[in-house]
Coordinates of all heavy atoms in Angstrom, one line a residue:
M116 N -99.3 -77.3 -40.3 CA -100.2 -76.6 -41.2 C -101.5 -76.3 -40.6 O -102.1 -77.2 -40.0 CB -100.4 -77.6 -42.5 CG -100.8 -76.7 -43.6 SD -101.3 -77.9 -45.1 CE -102.6 -78.7 -44.5
E117 N -102.1 -75.0 -40.6 CA -103.2 -74.7 -40.1 C -104.4 -75.2 -41.0 O -104.3 -75.1 -42.2 CB -103.3 -73.2 -40.0 CG -102.5 -72.6 -38.8 CD -103.0 -73.1 -37.4 OE1 -104.1 -72.9 -37.2 OE2 -102.1 -73.6 -36.7
M118 N -105.4 -75.7 -40.4 CA -106.6 -76.1 -41.1 C -107.7 -75.0 -41.2 O -107.7 -74.1 -40.3 CB -107.2 -77.2 -40.3 CG -106.8 -78.6 -40.7 SD -107.8 -79.8 -40.1 CE -107.1 -80.0 -38.4
S119 N -108.3 -74.9 -42.4 CA -109.4 -73.8 -42.5 C -110.6 -74.2 -41.5 O -110.7 -75.3 -41.0 CB -109.9 -73.8 -43.9 OG -110.6 -75.0 -44.1
P120 N -111.3 -73.2 -41.1 CA -112.4 -73.3 -40.2 C -113.3 -74.5 -40.7 O -113.9 -75.3 -40.1 CB -113.1 -72.1 -40.2 CG -112.2 -71.0 -40.6 CD -111.2 -71.7 -41.5
E121 N -113.5 -74.6 -42.1 CA -114.4 -75.6 -42.6 C -113.8 -76.9 -42.4 O -114.5 -77.9 -42.0 CB -114.5 -75.4 -44.2 CG -115.5 -74.2 -44.5 CD -114.5 -72.8 -44.4 OE1 -113.3 -72.9 -44.4 OE2 -115.2 -71.8 -44.3
E122 N -112.5 -77.0 -42.7 CA -111.8 -78.3 -42.4 C -111.9 -78.9 -41.0 O -112.1 -80.0 -40.6 CB -110.4 -78.4 -42.8 CG -110.2 -78.3 -44.4 CD -108.8 -78.0 -44.8 OE1 -108.1 -77.0 -44.1 OE2 -108.2 -78.6 -45.6
M123 N -111.7 -77.7 -40.0 CA -111.8 -78.2 -38.6 C -113.3 -78.7 -38.2 O -113.3 -79.6 -37.5 CB -111.5 -76.8 -37.7 CG -110.0 -76.5 -37.6 SD -109.2 -77.8 -36.7 CE -109.4 -77.2 -34.9
Q124 N -114.2 -77.9 -38.8 CA -115.6 -78.4 -38.5 C -115.8 -79.8 -39.0 O -116.4 -80.6 -38.2 CB -116.5 -77.3 -39.1 CG -118.0 -77.6 -38.9 CD -118.2 -77.5 -37.3 OE1 -117.7 -76.8 -36.7 NE2 -119.1 -78.4 -36.9
K125 N -115.4 -80.1 -40.1 CA -115.5 -81.4 -40.7 C -114.8 -82.4 -39.8 O -115.4 -83.5 -39.5 CB -115.0 -81.5 -42.1 CG -115.9 -81.3 -43.2 CD -115.4 -81.8 -44.5 CE -116.3 -81.8 -45.7 NZ -115.7 -82.0 -47.0
K126 N -113.7 -82.1 -39.4 CA -112.8 -83.0 -38.6 C -113.6 -83.3 -37.2 O -113.6 -84.3 -36.7 CB -111.5 -82.5 -38.4 CG -110.4 -83.6 -38.1 CD -109.0 -83.0 -38.3 CE -108.0 -84.3 -38.0 NZ -106.7 -83.9 -38.0
K127 N -114.1 -82.2 -36.7 CA -114.7 -82.3 -35.4 C -116.0 -83.2 -35.5 O -116.2 -84.1 -34.6 CB -115.2 -80.9 -34.9 CG -115.9 -80.9 -33.7 CD -116.3 -79.3 -33.4 CE -117.3 -79.3 -32.2 NZ -117.6 -77.8 -31.9
E128 N -116.8 -83.0 -36.5 CA -118.0 -83.8 -36.8 C -117.6 -85.4 -36.9 O -118.1 -86.2 -36.5 CB -118.7 -83.4 -38.1 CG -119.5 -82.3 -37.7 CD -120.0 -81.5 -38.9 OE1 -120.1 -81.9 -40.0 OE2 -120.4 -80.2 -38.7
M129 N -116.3 -85.6 -37.6 CA -115.8 -87.1 -37.8 C -115.5 -87.6 -36.5 O -116.0 -88.7 -36.2 CB -114.6 -86.9 -38.7 CG -114.1 -88.4 -39.0 SD -112.3 -88.2 -39.5 CE -111.5 -87.9 -37.8
V130 N -114.8 -86.8 -35.6 CA -114.4 -87.2 -34.3 C -115.7 -87.6 -33.4 O -115.7 -88.5 -32.8 CB -113.5 -86.1 -33.6 CG1 -113.4 -86.4 -32.1 CG2 -112.1 -86.1 -34.3
L131 N -116.7 -86.6 -33.5 CA -117.8 -86.8 -32.6 C -118.6 -88.2 -33.0 O -119.3 -88.7 -32.3 CB -118.7 -85.6 -32.7 CG -118.2 -84.4 -31.9 CD1 -119.1 -83.2 -32.1 CD2 -118.1 -84.8 -30.3
S132 N -118.5 -88.3 -34.4 CA -119.4 -89.4 -35.0 C -118.8 -90.8 -34.5 O -119.3 -91.9 -34.5 CB -119.5 -89.4 -36.5 OG -118.2 -89.7 -37.0
M133 N -117.4 -90.8 -34.3 CA -116.9 -92.0 -33.8 C -116.5 -92.2 -32.4 O -116.2 -93.2 -31.8 CB -115.4 -92.2 -34.5 CG -115.5 -92.1 -36.1 SD -113.8 -92.7 -36.8 CE -112.9 -91.2 -36.7
C134 N -116.7 -91.2 -31.6 CA -116.4 -91.1 -30.3 C -117.2 -92.2 -29.3 O -118.4 -92.2 -29.6 CB -116.8 -89.8 -29.6 SG -116.2 -89.5 -27.9
V135 N -116.5 -92.9 -28.5 CA -117.1 -93.8 -27.7 C -117.2 -93.4 -26.2 O -117.6 -94.2 -25.3 CB -116.5 -95.2 -27.8 CG1 -116.4 -95.8 -29.2 CG2 -114.9 -95.2 -27.4
C136 N -117.1 -92.2 -25.9 CA -117.1 -91.7 -24.4 C -118.4 -92.2 -23.7 O -118.2 -92.4 -22.6 CB -116.9 -90.2 -24.5 SG -115.2 -89.6 -24.7
A137 N -119.5 -92.1 -24.4 CA -120.8 -92.4 -23.8 C -120.8 -93.8 -23.2 O -121.6 -94.1 -22.4 CB -121.9 -92.1 -24.7
N138 N -120.0 -94.6 -23.8 CA -120.0 -96.0 -23.1 C -118.9 -96.2 -22.1 O -118.6 -97.3 -21.6 CB -119.5 -96.9 -24.4 CG -120.6 -97.0 -25.4 OD1 -121.8 -96.7 -25.2 ND2 -120.0 -97.0 -26.7
C139 N -118.2 -95.1 -21.7 CA -117.0 -95.2 -20.7 C -117.6 -95.3 -19.3 O -118.5 -94.5 -18.9 CB -116.1 -94.0 -21.0 SG -114.8 -93.7 -19.9
P140 N -116.9 -96.0 -18.4 CA -117.2 -96.0 -17.1 C -117.1 -94.6 -16.5 O -117.8 -94.3 -15.4 CB -116.2 -96.9 -16.4 CG -115.2 -97.2 -17.5 CD -115.7 -96.9 -18.7
S141 N -116.3 -93.6 -16.9 CA -116.2 -92.3 -16.4 C -117.3 -91.4 -16.8 O -117.5 -90.3 -16.2 CB -114.7 -91.6 -16.6 OG -113.8 -92.6 -16.1
W142 N -118.0 -91.8 -17.7 CA -119.0 -90.9 -18.5 C -120.1 -90.5 -17.5 O -120.6 -91.2 -16.8 CB -119.7 -91.7 -19.6 CG -120.8 -91.0 -20.3 CD1 -122.1 -91.0 -20.3 CD2 -120.5 -89.8 -21.4 NE1 -122.6 -90.2 -21.1 CE2 -121.8 -89.5 -21.8 CE3 -119.4 -89.1 -21.8 CZ2 -122.0 -88.4 -22.7 CZ3 -119.5 -88.2 -22.7 CH2 -120.7 -87.8 -23.2
E143 N -120.5 -89.3 -17.5 CA -121.6 -88.7 -16.9 C -122.6 -88.0 -17.9 O -122.1 -87.3 -18.7 CB -121.2 -87.6 -15.8 CG -120.2 -88.0 -14.7 CD -120.9 -88.8 -13.7 OE1 -122.1 -88.9 -13.6 OE2 -120.2 -89.3 -12.9
E144 N -123.7 -88.3 -17.8 CA -124.7 -87.9 -18.8 C -125.1 -86.3 -18.3 O -125.7 -86.2 -17.3 CB -125.9 -88.7 -18.9 CG -126.8 -88.4 -20.1 CD -126.1 -88.5 -21.4 OE1 -125.7 -89.5 -21.7 OE2 -126.1 -87.4 -22.1
C145 N -124.7 -85.4 -19.1 CA -125.1 -83.9 -19.0 C -125.3 -83.2 -20.0 O -124.9 -82.0 -20.1 CB -124.1 -83.4 -18.0 SG -122.4 -83.2 -18.6
G146 N -125.6 -83.9 -21.1 CA -125.8 -83.1 -22.5 C -124.6 -82.9 -23.4 O -124.7 -82.2 -24.3
E147 N -123.3 -83.4 -22.8 CA -122.1 -83.1 -23.7 C -122.2 -84.3 -24.7 O -122.8 -85.3 -24.7 CB -120.9 -83.1 -22.7 CG -121.0 -82.0 -21.8 CD -119.7 -82.1 -21.0 OE1 -118.9 -83.1 -20.8 OE2 -119.6 -81.0 -20.2
E148 N -121.3 -84.0 -25.8 CA -121.2 -84.9 -26.9 C -119.9 -85.8 -27.0 O -119.6 -86.6 -27.9 CB -121.3 -84.1 -28.1 CG -122.6 -83.3 -28.4 CD -122.5 -82.6 -29.7 OE1 -121.8 -81.7 -29.9 OE2 -123.3 -83.0 -30.7
G149 N -119.0 -85.5 -25.9 CA -117.7 -86.3 -26.0 C -116.7 -85.5 -27.0 O -116.8 -84.4 -27.0
G150 N -115.8 -86.3 -27.5 CA -114.8 -85.7 -28.5 C -113.8 -84.9 -27.7 O -113.4 -83.8 -28.3
Y151 N -113.6 -85.1 -26.4 CA -112.8 -84.3 -25.6 C -111.3 -84.2 -26.1 O -110.5 -83.4 -25.6 CB -112.8 -84.6 -24.1 CG -114.3 -84.7 -23.6 CD1 -114.6 -86.0 -23.3 CD2 -114.9 -83.6 -23.4 CE1 -116.0 -86.1 -22.8 CE2 -116.2 -83.8 -22.9 CZ -116.9 -85.0 -22.6 OH -118.0 -85.1 -22.1
C152 N -110.9 -85.1 -26.9 CA -109.5 -85.2 -27.5 C -109.3 -84.0 -28.5 O -108.1 -83.6 -28.7 CB -109.2 -86.5 -28.1 SG -110.4 -86.9 -29.4
F153 N -110.4 -83.5 -28.9 CA -110.3 -82.6 -30.1 C -110.0 -81.1 -29.5 O -110.5 -80.7 -28.5 CB -111.6 -82.5 -30.9 CG -111.5 -81.9 -32.3 CD1 -110.8 -82.5 -33.2 CD2 -112.1 -80.7 -32.5 CE1 -110.7 -82.1 -34.5 CE2 -112.0 -80.2 -33.8 CZ -111.3 -80.8 -34.8
P154 N -108.9 -80.3 -30.2 CA -108.6 -79.2 -29.6 C -109.6 -78.1 -29.3 O -109.5 -77.2 -28.5 CB -107.5 -78.6 -30.6 CG -107.8 -79.4 -31.8 CD -108.4 -80.8 -31.5
T155 N -110.8 -78.1 -30.1 CA -111.7 -76.9 -30.1 C -113.0 -77.4 -29.1 O -113.9 -76.7 -28.9 CB -112.3 -76.6 -31.4 OG1 -113.0 -77.8 -32.0 CG2 -111.2 -76.0 -32.3
I156 N -112.8 -78.7 -28.6 CA -113.9 -79.1 -27.6 C -113.2 -79.1 -26.1 O -112.1 -79.5 -25.9 CB -114.3 -80.4 -27.9 CG1 -115.0 -80.5 -29.3 CG2 -115.3 -81.1 -26.8 CD1 -115.4 -81.9 -29.8
A157 N -113.9 -78.4 -25.3 CA -113.3 -78.2 -23.9 C -113.4 -79.4 -23.2 O -114.1 -80.3 -23.4 CB -114.2 -77.0 -23.3
K158 N -112.7 -79.5 -22.0 CA -112.8 -80.6 -21.0 C -114.2 -80.6 -20.7 O -115.1 -79.7 -20.8 CB -112.0 -80.2 -19.9 CG -110.6 -80.5 -19.9 CD -109.9 -80.3 -18.5 CE -108.9 -79.2 -18.5 NZ -108.2 -79.1 -17.3
S159 N -114.7 -81.8 -20.0 CA -116.0 -82.0 -19.5 C -116.3 -81.1 -18.4 O -115.4 -80.7 -17.5 CB -116.2 -83.4 -19.1 OG -117.5 -83.5 -18.6
G160 N -117.5 -80.5 -18.4 CA -118.1 -79.7 -17.3 C -118.6 -80.6 -16.1 O -119.0 -80.0 -15.0
C161 N -118.8 -81.8 -16.4 CA -119.5 -82.7 -15.4 C -118.7 -83.9 -15.0 O -119.0 -84.5 -14.0 CB -120.9 -83.0 -15.9 SG -120.9 -83.9 -17.4
I162 N -117.8 -84.5 -15.9 CA -117.1 -85.7 -15.5 C -115.8 -85.2 -14.6 O -115.1 -84.3 -15.0 CB -116.5 -86.3 -16.8 CG1 -117.5 -86.9 -17.8 CG2 -115.6 -87.5 -16.5 CD1 -117.2 -87.4 -19.1
T163 N -115.8 -85.6 -13.4 CA -114.7 -85.3 -12.6 C -113.9 -86.5 -12.0 O -112.7 -86.3 -11.5 CB -115.4 -84.4 -11.4 OG1 -116.5 -85.3 -10.7 CG2 -115.9 -83.2 -11.6
E164 N -114.6 -87.7 -12.0 CA -113.9 -88.8 -11.5 C -113.4 -89.7 -12.6 O -114.1 -90.1 -13.5 CB -114.9 -89.7 -10.5 CG -114.9 -89.1 -9.2 CD -115.8 -90.1 -8.3 OE1 -115.3 -91.2 -8.0 OE2 -116.9 -89.6 -8.1
E165 N -112.1 -90.1 -12.6 CA -111.5 -91.0 -13.5 C -111.6 -92.4 -13.0 O -111.0 -93.0 -12.2 CB -110.0 -90.6 -13.6 CG -109.8 -89.1 -14.2 CD -108.4 -88.8 -14.4 OE1 -107.5 -89.6 -13.9 OE2 -108.1 -87.8 -15.0
K166 N -112.7 -92.9 -13.7 CA -113.1 -94.4 -13.3 C -112.7 -95.3 -14.4 O -113.3 -96.4 -14.6 CB -114.6 -94.4 -13.1 CG -115.0 -93.5 -12.0 CD -116.6 -93.6 -12.0 CE -117.2 -92.5 -11.1 NZ -118.6 -92.5 -11.3
G167 N -111.7 -95.0 -15.3 CA -111.4 -95.8 -16.5 C -111.7 -95.0 -17.7 O -112.4 -94.0 -17.6
C168 N -110.8 -95.1 -18.7 CA -110.9 -94.5 -20.0 C -110.8 -95.4 -21.1 O -109.9 -96.2 -21.2 CB -109.8 -93.4 -20.1 SG -109.8 -92.5 -21.5
I169 N -111.7 -95.5 -22.1 CA -111.8 -96.4 -23.1 C -111.2 -95.7 -24.4 O -111.4 -96.3 -25.5 CB -113.2 -97.0 -23.3 CG1 -114.2 -96.0 -23.5 CG2 -113.5 -97.8 -22.1 CD1 -115.7 -96.6 -23.9
C170 N -110.6 -94.5 -24.3 CA -110.2 -93.9 -25.5 C -109.2 -94.9 -26.4 O -109.2 -94.7 -27.6 CB -109.4 -92.6 -25.2 SG -110.5 -91.2 -24.7
G171 N -108.4 -95.6 -25.7 CA -107.5 -96.4 -26.4 C -108.3 -97.4 -27.4 O -107.7 -97.7 -28.4
G172 N -109.5 -97.7 -27.2 CA -110.3 -98.6 -28.1 C -111.2 -97.8 -29.0 O -111.9 -98.4 -29.8
C173 N -110.9 -96.5 -29.0 CA -111.8 -95.6 -30.0 C -111.1 -95.5 -31.3 O -109.9 -95.4 -31.4 CB -111.8 -94.1 -29.4 SG -112.6 -93.0 -30.4
P174 N -111.8 -95.6 -32.4 CA -111.1 -95.4 -33.7 C -110.4 -94.1 -33.9 O -109.5 -94.1 -34.8 CB -112.4 -95.6 -34.7 CG -113.7 -95.7 -33.9 CD -113.3 -95.8 -32.5
V175 N -110.8 -93.0 -33.2 CA -110.2 -91.8 -33.3 C -108.7 -91.8 -32.9 O -107.8 -91.3 -33.5 CB -111.0 -90.7 -32.5 CG1 -110.1 -89.3 -32.6 CG2 -112.3 -90.4 -33.1
T176 N -108.4 -92.6 -31.9 CA -107.0 -92.8 -31.2 C -106.1 -93.3 -32.4 O -105.1 -92.9 -32.7 CB -107.1 -93.8 -30.1 OG1 -107.8 -93.1 -29.0 CG2 -105.6 -94.1 -29.6
E177 N -106.6 -94.4 -33.1 CA -105.8 -95.1 -34.1 C -105.6 -94.0 -35.4 O -104.6 -93.8 -35.9 CB -106.4 -96.3 -34.6 CG -105.3 -97.1 -35.3 CD -106.0 -98.4 -36.0 OE1 -106.9 -98.9 -35.5 OE2 -105.4 -98.8 -36.9
K178 N -106.8 -93.5 -35.7 CA -106.9 -92.7 -36.9 C -106.1 -91.4 -36.8 O -105.4 -91.0 -37.7 CB -108.4 -92.2 -37.1 CG -108.8 -91.8 -38.6 CD -110.2 -91.7 -38.9 CE -110.5 -91.0 -40.1 NZ -110.3 -91.8 -41.3
M179 N -106.0 -90.8 -35.6 CA -105.3 -89.4 -35.4 C -104.0 -89.8 -34.6 O -103.2 -88.8 -34.3 CB -106.2 -88.6 -34.7 CG -107.3 -88.2 -35.6 SD -108.6 -87.1 -34.9 CE -107.6 -85.7 -34.3
G180 N -103.6 -91.0 -34.3 CA -102.5 -91.2 -33.6 C -102.3 -90.7 -32.3 O -101.2 -90.1 -31.8
L181 N -103.3 -90.7 -31.4 CA -103.4 -90.1 -30.1 C -102.5 -90.7 -29.2 O -102.4 -92.0 -29.3 CB -104.8 -89.9 -29.6 CG -105.8 -89.1 -30.5 CD1 -107.2 -89.2 -29.9 CD2 -105.5 -87.8 -30.8
K182 N -102.0 -90.1 -28.3 CA -100.9 -90.6 -27.2 C -101.5 -90.5 -26.0 O -100.9 -91.2 -25.0 CB -99.7 -89.7 -27.3 CG -99.0 -89.7 -28.6 CD -97.9 -90.7 -28.9 CE -97.2 -90.4 -30.3 NZ -98.1 -90.9 -31.4
N183 N -102.5 -89.8 -25.6 CA -103.0 -89.7 -24.2 C -104.4 -90.3 -23.9 O -104.9 -91.0 -24.8 CB -103.0 -88.2 -23.9 CG -101.7 -87.5 -23.9 OD1 -100.9 -87.7 -22.9 ND2 -101.4 -86.8 -25.0
V184 N -104.9 -90.0 -22.7 CA -106.2 -90.7 -22.2 C -106.8 -89.6 -21.3 O -106.1 -88.5 -21.1 CB -106.0 -91.9 -21.6 CG1 -105.6 -93.1 -22.4 CG2 -105.0 -91.8 -20.4
Y185 N -108.0 -89.8 -20.9 CA -108.6 -88.9 -20.1 C -108.7 -87.4 -20.5 O -108.4 -86.4 -19.7 CB -108.0 -89.0 -18.6 CG -108.4 -90.1 -17.8 CD1 -107.4 -91.1 -17.5 CD2 -109.7 -90.5 -17.4 CE1 -107.6 -92.4 -16.7 CE2 -110.0 -91.7 -16.8 CZ -108.9 -92.5 -16.3 OH -109.2 -93.7 -15.7
Y186 N -109.1 -87.3 -21.7 CA -109.3 -86.1 -22.3 C -110.4 -85.3 -21.6 O -110.3 -83.9 -21.6 CB -109.5 -86.1 -23.8 CG -108.3 -86.8 -24.5 CD1 -108.6 -88.3 -25.1 CD2 -107.1 -86.3 -24.6 CE1 -107.6 -89.0 -25.6 CE2 -106.2 -87.0 -25.4 CZ -106.4 -88.3 -25.7 OH -105.5 -89.1 -26.4
C187 N -111.3 -85.9 -21.2 CA -112.5 -85.3 -20.6 C -112.1 -84.4 -19.3 O -112.6 -83.4 -18.9 CB -113.6 -86.2 -20.1 SG -113.0 -87.6 -19.1
T188 N -111.0 -85.1 -18.6 CA -110.6 -84.5 -17.2 C -109.4 -83.7 -17.4 O -109.0 -82.8 -16.7 CB -110.6 -85.4 -16.2 OG1 -109.8 -86.4 -16.6 CG2 -111.9 -86.0 -15.7
R189 N -108.5 -84.2 -18.4 CA -107.2 -83.6 -18.5 C -106.8 -82.7 -19.7 O -105.7 -82.1 -19.7 CB -106.2 -84.7 -18.5 CG -106.2 -85.7 -17.3 CD -105.2 -86.8 -17.5 NE -105.5 -87.9 -16.3 CZ -104.8 -89.0 -16.3 NH1 -103.8 -89.2 -17.0 NH2 -105.2 -89.9 -15.4
G190 N -107.8 -82.5 -20.6 CA -107.6 -81.7 -21.6 C -107.4 -82.3 -22.9 O -107.0 -83.6 -22.8
S191 N -107.6 -81.7 -23.9 CA -107.3 -82.2 -25.4 C -105.9 -82.8 -25.7 O -104.9 -82.6 -24.8 CB -107.6 -81.1 -26.5 OG -106.5 -80.2 -26.4
E192 N -105.7 -83.5 -26.7 CA -104.5 -84.2 -27.0 C -103.5 -82.9 -27.1 O -102.4 -83.2 -26.4 CB -104.5 -84.9 -28.3 CG -103.3 -85.4 -28.9 CD -102.7 -86.6 -28.3 OE1 -103.2 -87.0 -27.3 OE2 -101.7 -87.2 -28.9
K193 N -103.7 -81.9 -27.8 CA -102.8 -80.8 -27.8 C -102.4 -80.3 -26.5 O -101.3 -80.1 -26.1 CB -103.4 -79.6 -28.8 CG -103.2 -79.8 -30.2 CD -103.5 -78.5 -30.9 CE -103.0 -78.5 -32.2 NZ -103.4 -77.3 -33.1
E194 N -103.4 -80.0 -25.7 CA -103.3 -79.5 -24.5 C -102.4 -80.5 -23.5 O -101.3 -80.0 -22.8 CB -104.5 -79.4 -23.5 CG -105.0 -78.1 -23.4 CD -106.4 -78.1 -22.5 OE1 -107.5 -78.4 -23.2 OE2 -106.3 -77.8 -21.5
Q195 N -102.6 -81.8 -23.6 CA -101.7 -82.7 -22.9 C -100.3 -82.8 -23.3 O -99.5 -83.2 -22.6 CB -102.4 -84.0 -22.8 CG -103.7 -84.0 -22.0 CD -104.1 -85.4 -21.6 OE1 -103.4 -86.3 -21.1 NE2 -105.4 -85.8 -21.8
L196 N -100.2 -82.5 -24.7 CA -98.7 -82.6 -25.2 C -98.1 -81.2 -25.0 O -97.0 -81.1 -25.3 CB -98.9 -82.8 -26.7 CG -99.4 -84.2 -27.1 CD1 -99.5 -84.3 -28.5 CD2 -98.5 -85.3 -26.6
G197 N -98.8 -80.3 -24.3 CA -98.2 -78.9 -24.0 C -98.1 -78.1 -25.2 O -97.2 -77.2 -25.3
M198 N -99.0 -78.3 -26.2 CA -99.0 -77.5 -27.4 C -99.9 -76.4 -27.3 O -100.8 -76.3 -26.6 CB -99.3 -78.3 -28.7 CG -98.3 -79.4 -28.9 SD -98.9 -80.6 -30.0 CE -98.9 -79.8 -31.6
Ligands
LIG51 S1 -110.3 -90.7 -28.3 FE1 -111.6 -90.6 -26.5 S2 -112.3 -88.5 -26.4 FE2 -111.5 -88.7 -28.4 S3 -113.4 -89.2 -29.7 FE3 -112.5 -91.1 -29.0 S4 -113.5 -91.8 -27.0 FE4 -113.9 -89.5 -27.5
LIG52 S1 -112.1 -89.1 -22.5 FE1 -111.7 -91.3 -21.8 S2 -112.2 -91.1 -19.6 FE2 -113.1 -89.4 -20.6 S3 -115.3 -90.1 -21.1 FE3 -113.9 -90.4 -23.0 S4 -113.2 -92.4 -22.8 FE4 -113.9 -91.8 -20.8

């Protein structure tokens, strides 16, 4: 089922509010907000080295049933699932 743009925006804000990327060893501070698992948020433009991923401990992983990691370097959940 497709979400309306308003619903997508709300969901994106929820994801960003819970995101723990900024505490991750792979994090690089370059003005990004995290939330890389979300389909409308692009991969990171500054994180290039995978030095550990703490997505598994993020509330978004449980809430949305995410299956992957390293969304910042490998792409959103949808991308990594080949959707
Ligand atoms: S699952 Fe990872 S990328 Fe997604 S909001 Fe949580 S910490 Fe950020
Ligand atoms: S997606 Fe994973 S590896 Fe990338 S910054 Fe967020 S927690 Fe760290």
